[in-house]
Amino acid sequence: MKPFAKTLLAGLAGALVLAGSAVAQERTLQLGHLANEENSWHKASLKFGEELEKLTDGRITVEVYPNESLGKEMDLINGMQLGTADMTITGESLQNWAPMAALLAVPYAYKSLEHMDEVASGEIGDQIEQQIIERAQIRPIAYFARGPRNLTSNRPITSPDELDGMKLRVPNVPLFVDFWDALGASPTPMAFSEVFTSLQNGTIDGQENPLALIHSANFNEVQSHVNLTEHVRSWIYLTISEMTWNELSDEDKEAVMEAAQRAQDYERELFLQDEERLANTLQEAGMTFVEVDQEAFAEQGQDAVLKNVNEEIRPVVEDLFNQ
């Protein structure tokens, strides 16, 4: 073969290799979130990326950025609306655009994890997702459970009557303030970073958070009891920008949804294992777990909840309370 022909064939072969590489990785999706590397949301995000790469034969890959390293939640939401970000994990923050997203975290709206699943995967969940797509231009593709919020204290509390003006740290959210006020506590909005010291010096008597935060913040060093109020059960969405979604082929959209479902199933396994582990760890650290009269808490706080929720979702909340 003449040198020119050899050179031409070599060039064509090289071009085919480069073309093959382009086909093998058509797109990289960037997924940023606020959780750390040990969190089940992060592990599920990695699982989503692994599954999507498999399902698309490497045409779509996912880069996962934990610890807000790609940006804070609201920044990522804004970026997804503008087309400068692809994916994030977000929840009731979306109520700024879609009022129904507030249903993700309403006190005592869901009686159990199973009830929450029934709502999230049913007609109400479909309505929430559709409103988020239409009004926020962000598409939920899977949801992850969040550990229920529980009340910690230095004495057992089994009913609202036993709160008796207890100074309780709450997030700076009117719904939470009014809810705990109706229960008989003295709610005090405060930054999370100030809670440990305030508990230590007696500025406040208690706080409420999921077991994961109770553990990571070392509240067992300044609180002796976890009262199982489970007053807020909630979920959070794995989401993709509607602009990004619309750029995908039908085949790739199917792959994204399948990978998301696998990630959701994987996260649930991790979540259940983690809740059990956290309960055992906190008890081993000296905390006493207290069963409470959740119905009494729910009944006494209902009016405050209904007063605070958006008129658009109030009938839905009333229906959930009556189920």
Side-chain angles (χ1 to χ4, degrees):
M1 187 180 289
K2 294 181 179 180
F4 174 76
K6 287 183 178 179
T7 303
L8 180 61
L9 286 173
L12 288 171
L16 287 171
V17 168
L18 288 173
S21 299
V23 170
Q25 187 175 327
E26 288 183 351
R27 178 145 202 170
T28 297
L29 301 177
Q30 294 187 321
L31 196 175
H33 62 79
L34 56 78
N36 64 31
E37 291 89 342
E38 298 305 310
N39 191 284
S40 60
W41 299 350
H42 177 67
K43 293 175 182 177
S45 297
L46 295 176
K47 178 72 170 175
F48 169 75
E50 291 168 8
E51 295 296 333
L52 184 56
E53 190 168 353
K54 282 184 206 170
L55 289 164
T56 60
D57 296 320
R59 285 183 295 101
I60 303 179
T61 58
V62 181
E63 293 176 351
V64 182
Y65 297 85
N67 299 308
E68 296 184 330
S69 55
L70 194 62
K72 295 185 182 297
E73 181 182 3
M74 294 303 290
D75 293 334
L76 288 173
I77 291 171
N78 291 328
M80 289 164 70
Q81 293 167 332
L82 294 169
T84 58
D86 295 308
M87 300 184 70
T88 194
I89 297 171
T90 185
E92 63 269 18
S93 297
L94 293 168
Q95 68 185 282
N96 291 302
W97 296 270
M100 288 196 76
L103 290 167
L104 271 65
V106 175
Y108 287 116
Y110 312 110
K111 311 297 186 288
S112 63
L113 182 61
E114 292 73 23
H115 182 211
M116 188 199 79
D117 278 338
E118 185 182 317
V119 173
S121 62
E123 184 180 345
I124 293 174
D126 290 344
Q127 291 171 4
I128 296 170
E129 292 174 20
Q130 194 57 43
Q131 192 178 86
I132 291 170
I133 293 169
E134 290 172 358
R135 302 194 190 182
Q137 293 299 299
I138 286 171
R139 178 173 293 264
I141 57 174
Y143 73 90
F144 303 148
R146 288 191 276 191
R149 298 178 80 94
N150 290 300
L151 172 66
T152 68
S153 60
N154 285 320
R155 55 185 171 87
I157 294 171
T158 60
S159 72
D161 296 341
E162 294 169 0
L163 288 168
D164 192 26
M166 174 183 178
K167 290 178 290 184
L168 174 66
R169 180 270 172 181
V170 295
N172 190 18
V173 177
L175 170 58
F176 277 45
V177 174
D178 289 354
F179 173 74
W180 284 104
D181 185 61
L183 290 172
S186 179
T188 304
M190 180 184 295
F192 185 74
S193 58
E194 300 172 17
V195 177
F196 184 93
T197 303
S198 297
L199 288 168
Q200 195 172 40
N201 63 27
T203 303
I204 55 174
D205 303 314
Q207 65 84 50
E208 47 79 57
N209 262 303
L211 297 183
L213 280 177
I214 294 169
H215 174 251
S216 63
N218 297 314
F219 288 151
N220 58 283
E221 296 178 10
V222 286
Q223 299 269 264
S224 59
H225 289 71
V226 175
N227 306 285
L228 297 170
T229 50
E230 297 183 338
H231 50 280
V232 176
R233 290 185 177 277
S234 58
W235 70 92
I236 198 162
Y237 287 117
L238 175 64
T239 64
I240 186 168
S241 161
E242 192 69 354
M243 293 178 74
T244 301
W245 174 261
N246 289 330
E247 291 170 357
L248 300 175
S249 67
D250 289 345
E251 180 186 357
D252 287 343
K253 286 175 180 176
E254 285 183 20
V256 165
M257 296 306 294
E258 176 60 28
Q261 182 60 54
R262 294 180 189 181
Q264 179 175 309
D265 294 342
Y266 179 66
E267 194 279 336
R268 177 55 58 89
E269 289 177 25
L270 295 178
F271 168 75
L272 293 173
Q273 292 168 8
D274 206 37
E275 285 293 289
E276 183 177 356
R277 178 188 64 80
L278 287 164
N280 290 334
T281 300
L282 288 169
Q283 288 177 86
E284 287 168 5
M287 298 194 86
T288 301
F289 278 53
V290 180
E291 295 292 336
V292 312
D293 185 349
Q294 293 184 6
E295 286 189 15
F297 277 86
E299 187 175 339
Q300 194 160 323
Q302 270 189 23
D303 287 347
V305 172
L306 291 171
K307 184 183 78 173
N308 274 274
V309 297
N310 185 290
E311 286 184 12
E312 187 174 339
I313 68 168
R314 192 171 298 151
V316 181
V317 175
E318 287 176 335
D319 184 54
L320 288 168
F321 282 159
N322 291 328
Q323 285 181 15

